[in-house]
Amino acid sequence: MNQTIKTFLVRHADKKTASFHMPGHKGSALYREFGHGDFLDRIMDCDITEIPGADNLFQAEGIIDELQQRYARLYEVDRSYLLINGTSTGIIASILASVPKGKKLIMARNCHKSVFNALTLADAEPVYAHPTFMEAYGISGEITAAEIERLLIENEDAAAVILPSPNYYGICSDIEKIAKVVHAHHKILIVDQAHGAHLKFFRKYGIDTFPKSAEEAGADIVINSIHKTLASYTQSAVLNLNSSRVSPEAIADKLQCIESTSPSYILMGSLDINASLLEDHGQELMRRWADNLDYFYQELSKNPYVSCFERIPSLDHTKVNFSLPNLRLTGSALEEILNETYHVFIELYTGKYVMAMTGIGNQRKHYQMLADALSEITAHALKRGLVETPVEQEVKMAYSPKRAELYPVPKDRKYVDLMDAEGCVCANSLIPYPPGIPLVCPGEKIEKEVIAYIRQLRERGEKVIGISSENKILVG
C-alpha cells in the first residue's frame, strides 16, 4: 500500500525530531506540560458544530465573544476577531473593508500572495512600495517611512497602506514612523504580522531586546498568525483592530463573507488554550524562549564555521538565519542533511542561508540537537578538507524584484512556455513557496533574469505557484 497522508503524519510523529518550522507549539509536549492534555486526548469528541452553548463565530455573544475579548486584552487593542482560515483571511477582509472598489492600495512589493488575491477581489489598483535589499544576505529588508511618504504624496487617492512586519526572515520595518506618516495623510495602515504574533509578549513581560509589535507602534489593523510562533493549531489566527479609522462592523461583515461557514471548534479551542497559556504562564514561557535563544546563539558563536545574521535592533531574532559559508554546502544541501541525518527540520532556505523558525514550544533539547548537528557537519567537512565555496558552486540568492513599470493586467490571456515568456506581461503572479512572495506580479513584464531564477528553482524541485507542471505560465 502506498503511503497516505495519515501514515506519513504518524511516522513523522514517531521520530524524535527537532522542529524549527511552523507551527510554534512544536507538538503535544507544551499542552501536556501546562495541563491541556485532556483536549489532546478528546480531540475527536471536541469536533462539533454550533450546538446550544457553543456560540457562533459570526454572531459571537457567548464563549467565542469572551475569547475575542481576552485577545483584545492580551494585545491591548480595541477589538480582536478569531480567524479559522489563517491570516490570509484577515488580510483579505482588512483590504476589502479599507479600500473602496477601484481605489489604490499602497502595498509592499514583498507582500504575501494573499494581498495580491485581495487586489483581485477588491478590484483595487496596486502601488508598490519596494523594500530595501540586504546585499550581505541576499534578502528583502525593511520598508522605509520615506518610501511610504513618497508614494502617499504621489498617490493622494490611495485608501490604505499594507506591509509585512516582520518579513519571513524576521526583518521588521519601523511601524511607529510609518504609522505617523500614514495617519498624517489620513490613511489606514494594515500590518501583516503573520510572523510576529509573539512580539507583543516579549515586551509585555519585560524582554525588550525585540522590535515593537505593530499594535504598540500604532497600526490600525494587525493580523497575527497565532499558529506560526505561538501555541494554536495551524490555520488559526487573530485580527486586531487598533483604531477607529476602520469600522468594526465592516471588518465583521467582510470576514463572514470569506471565512468558512463551518468554523472549526478544534482551531478555536486551540486559540483558547493559547490565550490561557499567555495569561497564566506568559512570563515564564517568554522568558524561557528568550533564554533558550540566548543559549542557542551562544552555542552557534562557538562554531567558527557558522555565520548568523547580525542581531540588529530591527531583527526578530526568533528567526535564526545561518549558513556555513566556508563549506561546500548550499542552503538546500544543508537542509537535506539536517532532515535526513539529524531529524532537524527547518522552515526555509535561501541561497546559502537556512532559516530556523523557533517557537514558544521549542525546548532546550531542540536547540541542542541543531547546535550538535552543525558541529558534526563541520567536523565531517574538516576531515575532507575545508575549502572556500568556489564561484561556480554558488547558488544565486533570492531574486530582488526591480522597480518595474506597471502595465494594465491582461484581460486576453494565453499560456506560454516559461522559456518563451521574456518580455511578456504577466497575467498571474509567479510565487515561490515558501516564502509566498511574488517574483512577478500581474502587470509586470517577465525578464530573462526571472526566467533563469525560476528555472533554477524548478530544477532544484522547489514549488513555484503560477507555473504548470509543463512549465507554462499565463501571460497577456
Side-chain angles (χ1 to χ4, degrees), residues 224-253:
N224 296 279
S225 284
I226 304 299
H227 72 92
K228 280 184 169 64
T229 54
L230 295 176
S232 64
Y233 288 179
T234 296
Q235 206 170 300
S236 56
V238 167
L239 184 156
N240 287 329
L241 186 57
N242 198 35
S243 81
S244 59
R245 292 181 180 87
V246 182
S247 159
E249 291 76 22
I251 292 288
D253 176 63

Side-chain angles (χ1 to χ4, degrees), residues 202-212 287 313 317:
F202 278 117
R203 297 176 65 86
K204 187 171 186 173
Y205 296 114
I207 305 164
D208 59 3
T209 53
F210 291 84
K212 277 186 178 181
R287 172 52 61 189
H317 58 271

Side-chain angles (χ1 to χ4, degrees), residues 57 82-86 89 235-237 259-260 263-264 267-268 271:
L57 181 60
L82 306 187
L83 305 176
I84 45 74
N85 290 90
T89 304
Q235 206 170 300
S236 56
E259 285 206 272
S260 171
S264 167
L267 295 183
M268 290 189 286
L271 285 169

Side-chain angles (χ1 to χ4, degrees), residues 166-394:
N167 66 17
Y168 212 134
Y169 305 93
I171 306 299
C172 294
S173 298
D174 191 333
I175 300 300
E176 199 160 21
K177 284 186 179 178
I178 292 172
K180 288 178 182 177
V181 167
V182 172
H183 295 154
H185 287 265
H186 308 291
K187 309 299 182 184
I188 296 163
L189 177 59
I190 306 166
V191 174
D192 169 7
Q193 198 171 251
H195 288 274
H198 54 285
L199 291 177
K200 172 72 177 179
F201 304 103
F202 278 117
R203 297 176 65 86
K204 187 171 186 173
Y205 296 114
I207 305 164
D208 59 3
T209 53
F210 291 84
K212 277 186 178 181
S213 70
E215 289 91 355
E216 292 175 278
D220 299 298
I221 303 173
V222 185
I223 310 99
N224 296 279
S225 284
I226 304 299
H227 72 92
K228 280 184 169 64
T229 54
L230 295 176
S232 64
Y233 288 179
T234 296
Q235 206 170 300
S236 56
V238 167
L239 184 156
N240 287 329
L241 186 57
N242 198 35
S243 81
S244 59
R245 292 181 180 87
V246 182
S247 159
E249 291 76 22
I251 292 288
D253 176 63
K254 299 308 180 185
L255 284 173
Q256 66 84 25
C257 286
I258 56 179
E259 285 206 272
S260 171
T261 56
S262 299
S264 167
Y265 276 83
I266 300 298
L267 295 183
M268 290 189 286
S270 74
L271 285 169
D272 191 338
I273 291 171
N274 177 76
S276 295
L277 290 171
L278 292 173
E279 289 165 339
D280 300 336
H281 308 283
Q283 187 162 0
E284 173 188 353
L285 285 167
M286 302 313 286
R287 172 52 61 189
R288 184 164 73 182
W289 191 356
D291 288 346
N292 281 336
L293 283 168
D294 288 342
Y295 166 81
F296 184 54
Y297 278 102
Q298 190 171 38
E299 287 296 296
L300 293 185
S301 71
K302 296 176 184 177
N303 186 333
Y305 301 99
V306 175
S307 175
C308 293
F309 281 16
E310 182 184 357
R311 283 174 64 170
I312 56 178
S314 61
L315 175 66
D316 166 22
H317 58 271
T318 65
K319 314 286 191 299
V320 185
N321 298 273
F322 63 89
S323 67
L324 301 174
N326 296 102
L327 309 186
R328 287 180 177 267
L329 284 176
T330 62
S332 173
L334 180 54
E335 181 202 37
E336 185 176 346
I337 293 169
L338 289 171
N339 287 0
E340 295 183 2
T341 304
Y342 298 99
H343 289 171
V344 174
F345 292 82
I346 58 92
E347 174 67 24
L348 174 72
Y349 63 83
T350 302
K352 63 184 177 180
Y353 278 95
V354 160
M355 190 268 276
M357 181 184 287
T358 70
I360 197 171
N362 276 122
Q363 300 173 29
R364 178 64 62 93
K365 66 180 180 181
H366 300 146
Y367 296 94
Q368 192 64 60
M369 281 177 67
L370 179 50
D372 290 347
L374 293 175
S375 294
E376 284 193 19
I377 291 168
T378 300
H380 290 158
L382 286 170
K383 286 181 181 178
R384 297 193 304 269
L386 181 66
V387 292
E388 291 283 338
T389 304
V391 173
E392 63 268 22
Q393 292 288 328
E394 290 183 357

Side-chain angles (χ1 to χ4, degrees), residues 72-220:
R73 291 193 293 270
L74 280 165
Y75 280 99
E76 300 179 287
V77 295
D78 295 344
R79 289 175 184 250
S80 293
Y81 301 82
L82 306 187
L83 305 176
I84 45 74
N85 290 90
T87 288
S88 296
T89 304
I91 287 172
I92 294 170
S94 298
I95 292 170
L96 292 176
S98 305
V99 183
K101 186 176 181 179
K103 294 297 184 180
K104 291 179 180 178
L105 172 67
I106 294 175
M107 56 179 287
R109 178 56 182 74
N110 61 330
C111 274
H112 186 261
K113 66 188 289 284
S114 57
V115 178
F116 294 87
N117 292 337
L119 287 175
T120 301
L121 294 173
D123 191 21
E125 180 183 343
V127 176
Y128 294 133
H130 282 253
T132 59
F133 189 67
M134 302 180 74
E135 290 285 351
Y137 308 123
I139 64 167
S140 294
E142 67 172 326
I143 300 289
T144 66
E147 171 79 344
I148 297 299
E149 182 153 38
R150 177 182 69 83
L151 294 174
L152 285 167
I153 291 170
E154 294 175 359
N155 299 274
E156 294 181 357
D157 53 341
V161 174
I162 185 168
L163 69 153
S165 184
N167 66 17
Y168 212 134
Y169 305 93
I171 306 299
C172 294
S173 298
D174 191 333
I175 300 300
E176 199 160 21
K177 284 186 179 178
I178 292 172
K180 288 178 182 177
V181 167
V182 172
H183 295 154
H185 287 265
H186 308 291
K187 309 299 182 184
I188 296 163
L189 177 59
I190 306 166
V191 174
D192 169 7
Q193 198 171 251
H195 288 274
H198 54 285
L199 291 177
K200 172 72 177 179
F201 304 103
F202 278 117
R203 297 176 65 86
K204 187 171 186 173
Y205 296 114
I207 305 164
D208 59 3
T209 53
F210 291 84
K212 277 186 178 181
S213 70
E215 289 91 355
E216 292 175 278
D220 299 298

Side-chain angles (χ1 to χ4, degrees), residues 109-113 116 401 429-432 436-442:
R109 178 56 182 74
N110 61 330
C111 274
H112 186 261
K113 66 188 289 284
F116 294 87
S429 296
L430 301 177
I431 309 169
I437 297 163
L439 288 172
V440 190
C441 297

